[in-house]
Amino acid sequence: MRTRATAMSADDRRRALVDVTLPLLLEHGRTVTTRQIAEAAGVAEGTIFRVFESKDDLVQATLDRAFDIEPFLEDLRRIDPDQPLRALVTEMVTLLQSRFRGIFTLMTAVGMVGPPKGRSHEHHPREEAARVMADLLAPHADEVRVPVAQLVHVTRLLTFSGSHPHLSDGRILTAEEIVSTVLDGLLTKGD
């Protein structure tokens, strides 16, 4: 006998359904069924349609959550700005790689070739992330020979391309390789 789903507000139910849908999208892509989602959530299929008009609306809400930059910004803001430059940049790169890899994996799973609708021209979140990183690095400005904004730009570009399985030809760079390249360059000593 099936038990009734725990009573939740509509917002809480939407959040709970999005939570269980993300791993299912990673596993099944867009072929995930509402039955699989309902089973993972421990609810009847009809419960989904009390808070989402369609499976597509649930999938879109899940993609919107995955692409939301706020949790990433919160993680950046938790970085200790008083640590040595190399440790600081390594921590930033590690967070960037985690975000990029998660998004790349999800995009591949659902067959996306670009950001979700409405986000393709959205520059504010990237600018905010760049500003937070620049603020973290500002106390170390005298340790680098380029402006902090340039350090952030190069670090983000190398991390993006070095973390993408296709752009990196399947040779994903480690955070340490990225940081070493950005901070030390590739010349041998004395060149």
Side-chain angles (χ1 to χ4, degrees):
M1 177 193 281
R2 184 171 205 109
T3 58
R4 289 186 55 88
T6 306
M8 291 182 172
S9 71
D11 287 342
D12 288 342
R13 177 66 66 202
R14 278 191 285 276
R15 276 191 290 279
L17 288 167
V18 165
D19 287 345
V20 301
T21 301
L22 182 58
L24 292 170
L25 282 175
L26 290 168
E27 182 179 349
H28 302 285
R30 290 187 186 270
T31 64
V32 66
T33 65
T34 54
R35 182 178 189 171
Q36 290 169 314
I37 295 167
E39 286 176 3
V43 300
E45 272 185 271
T47 302
I48 294 170
F49 301 108
R50 286 191 196 97
V51 291
F52 289 101
E53 290 205 16
S54 67
K55 180 184 104 171
D56 288 340
D57 287 342
L58 172 53
V59 168
Q60 187 60 51
T62 304
L63 293 174
D64 287 345
R65 165 96 64 81
F67 276 83
D68 182 10
I69 198 166
E70 281 306 314
F72 172 69
L73 292 174
E74 290 170 19
D75 288 342
L76 281 177
R77 291 181 183 114
R78 283 193 284 272
I79 293 176
D80 177 8
D82 297 325
Q83 60 188 308
L85 177 62
R86 187 170 302 274
L88 179 60
V89 177
T90 301
E91 196 168 343
M92 286 178 13
V93 167
T94 300
L95 289 175
L96 279 167
Q97 282 190 304
S98 177
R99 175 156 175 85
F100 290 151
R101 286 180 184 164
I103 287 173
F104 298 152
T105 301
L106 180 60
M107 289 177 70
T108 300
V110 298
M112 293 174 66
V113 294
K117 294 183 284 183
R119 292 186 181 264
S120 58
H121 300 294
E122 194 176 303
H123 296 291
H124 171 73
R126 281 189 303 209
E127 291 169 5
E128 178 67 9
R131 187 191 61 72
V132 170
M133 288 186 268
D135 288 350
L136 283 166
L137 293 169
H140 299 278
D142 61 338
E143 296 176 53
V144 294
R145 60 182 171 82
V146 297
V148 167
Q150 179 68 8
L151 174 59
V152 169
H153 178 70
V154 170
T155 301
R156 287 173 63 208
L157 284 176
L158 184 56
T159 304
F160 181 87
S161 60
S163 302
H164 194 287
H166 300 297
L167 296 177
S168 67
D169 295 325
R171 295 186 314 227
I172 303 281
L173 298 176
T174 66
E176 292 74 19
E177 288 171 323
I178 292 167
V179 172
S180 177
T181 301
V182 169
L183 295 182
D184 304 326
L186 296 174
L187 294 176
T188 60
K189 303 250 187 251
D191 284 351

